[in-house]
Amino acid sequence: MTLSLPAGAVVRAAEVVLEHASVSPEQTLAGAPTVGEVALGEIAGVEIGIWECTPGTSTDTEVDEVSVVISGRARIDFVSPALPSIEIGPGDVLRIEAGMKTVWTVTETLRKVYIA
């Protein structure tokens, strides 16, 4: 889904209604997490959007991204490269790189604004 965000406009990231779909069975490790996402547009070829995930545990292979957590909580385990696990919550800024293999354990529905 794409939501156009023209210059000078405001989107209340915490209030945007997102359509959710189940995380694929191959990626789901525990629970029944669902994800919703909306692209807000691009600046110089870089996508900006809102992403949300409900509680559960799933794997991912990341893209280059910087994101700001709006609400919720999660633990991210870095499988490859092997890095210390981190806890994220409201107000945190996260930087991940393309190709990182991660395990996300979402304990409270997590919503973030991403730049990827």
Side-chain angles (χ1 to χ4, degrees):
M1 180 163 114
T2 301
L3 179 66
S4 180
L5 183 62
V10 172
V11 168
R12 303 213 182 280
E15 299 173 10
V16 174
V17 176
L18 301 175
E19 294 180 26
H20 278 242
S22 296
V23 173
S24 73
E26 299 81 32
Q27 289 180 276
T28 300
L29 300 178
T34 65
V35 294
E37 180 177 4
V38 62
L40 300 176
E42 288 187 6
I43 297 174
V46 177
E47 183 178 308
I48 300 165
I50 302 167
W51 179 90
E52 182 175 77
C53 185
T54 61
T57 303
S58 59
T59 63
D60 199 9
T61 301
E62 305 296 342
V63 299
D64 281 325
E65 177 183 318
V66 172
S67 55
V68 178
V69 177
I70 303 300
S71 61
R73 300 203 171 276
R75 185 184 76 239
I76 304 170
D77 297 309
F78 296 96
V79 176
S80 176
L83 298 170
S85 298
I86 59 173
E87 302 276 337
I88 59 173
D92 290 341
V93 178
L94 170 67
R95 168 74 170 99
I96 49 181
E97 294 181 341
M100 289 180 131
K101 302 216 182 292
T102 55
V103 174
W104 290 69
T105 301
V106 176
T107 54
E108 286 176 33
T109 297
L110 185 75
R111 181 173 284 222
K112 64 182 182 167
V113 173
Y114 66 85
I115 302 166

